[in-house]
């Protein structure tokens, strides 16, 4: 397989916002008298805001209006935390990799389920590296559906079969495969083991190494 474009998930791949999502959901849960642990938070990785709320509510019934208000409240707590981010919040190896991809002249895009992707990119000061940013506002169907990845392939003008997805969530790897793309998974195998290649993180890995590995597939 020839890689012509890298499609990067954002949260958990280039920066670790999962702690900020956790703090914001936990604040909401406490206000609502719901127990929400760090372990519970793991199931929310890569999952949309709406689906995250459903998981947090653990079967508790709320009206549509209440659900919307809770999502807005959580988001305001989250945005408050994101505003304090700086380029120091880039994960090790992330900047090196996107710089290398640009030097190689390949396309690269952000494909995130988050509606806050642009804000996070601004805080990290890396928006200029990407040929397209597809986020939670781009499609009604989020990961594990393939829609966001297919939109990204179209936006950068590369066939899905030549796109390599970089993901830290199971739902993201599933979405990549559903889009006819191969994936580099970051994190434990229990989570991203379905990806064709798995690294603990981007640290100490180069884009060239990834390109060479996938040429053999
Ligand atoms: C994903 C995160 O990128 O975006 C999830 O991994 C998050 O944890 C989802 O719930 C939606 O994000 P937001 O910012 O639109 O609430
Ligand atoms: Mg992620």
């Amino acid at each position: 397989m020839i890689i012509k474009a890298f499609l990067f998930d954002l949260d958990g791949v280039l920066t670790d916002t999962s702690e900020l999502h956790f703090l914001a959901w936990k604040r909401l849960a406490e206000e609502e008298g719901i127990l929400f642990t760090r372990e519970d938070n793991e199931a929310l990785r890569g999952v949309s805001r709406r689906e995250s709320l459903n998981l947090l509510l653990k079967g508790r019934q709320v009206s549509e209006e209440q659900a919307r208000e809770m999502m807005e409240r959580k988001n305001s707590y989250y945005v408050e935390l994101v505003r304090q981010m700086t380029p120091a919040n880039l994960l090790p190896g992330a900047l090196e990799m996107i710089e290398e991809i640009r030097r190689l002249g390949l396309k690269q895009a952000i494909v995130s389920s988050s509606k806050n992707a642009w804000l996070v990119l601004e805080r990290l000061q890396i928006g200029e590296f990407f040929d397209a940013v597809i986020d939670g506002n781009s499609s009604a169907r989020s990961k594990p559906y393939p829609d966001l990845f297919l939109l990204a392939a179209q936006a950068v003008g590369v066939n899905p079969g030549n796109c390599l997805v970089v993901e830290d969530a199971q739902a993201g790897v599933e979405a990549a495969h559903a889009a006819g793309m191969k994936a580099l998974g970051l994190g434990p195998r229990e989570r991203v083991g379905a990806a064709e290649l798995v690294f603990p993180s981007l640290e100490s890995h180069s884009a060239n190494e990834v390109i060479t590995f996938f040429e053999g597939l």
Side-chain angles (χ1 to χ4, degrees), residues 9 11 21 44-49 52 74-75 78 112-116:
D9 172 47
D11 298 319
H21 278 295
L44 273 51
R45 194 178 279 267
V47 166
S48 72
R49 196 180 303 174
S52 299
K74 179 269 175 176
N75 195 53
Y78 177 66
S112 172
S113 303
S114 172
K115 293 185 168 150
N116 295 299

Side-chain angles (χ1 to χ4, degrees), residues 66-151:
Q66 284 170 316
R68 216 168 292 158
E69 185 279 323
M70 285 181 193
M71 287 190 288
E72 273 166 29
R73 193 159 15 124
K74 179 269 175 176
N75 195 53
S76 70
Y77 300 154
Y78 177 66
V79 167
E80 218 175 280
L81 296 168
V82 169
R83 290 199 190 285
Q84 295 160 33
M85 288 174 75
T86 71
N89 291 98
L90 276 162
L91 281 168
L95 188 61
E96 290 83 346
M97 184 148 307
I98 59 178
E99 280 175 346
E100 183 188 356
I101 292 166
R102 185 157 71 175
R103 271 200 309 277
L104 292 170
L106 300 176
K107 299 282 184 195
Q108 52 188 341
I110 292 290
V111 185
S112 172
S113 303
S114 172
K115 293 185 168 150
N116 295 299
W118 265 114
L119 176 63
V120 173
L121 289 172
E122 260 168 46
R123 299 305 307 162
L124 297 172
Q125 295 177 21
I126 55 168
E128 47 140 345
F129 282 93
F130 299 98
D131 301 291
V133 175
I134 304 297
D135 65 13
N137 301 299
S138 309
S139 163
R141 289 203 313 181
S142 197
K143 304 167 191 177
Y145 289 101
D147 306 33
L148 295 175
F149 287 116
L150 291 172
L151 282 172

Side-chain angles (χ1 to χ4, degrees), residues 6 19 25 36 67 75 83 96 105 131 162 176 181 183 187 198 210:
F6 278 79
E19 181 64 19
W25 282 123
F36 183 68
N75 195 53
R83 290 199 190 285
E96 290 83 346
D131 301 291
N162 296 111
M181 301 174 184
V198 176
V210 176

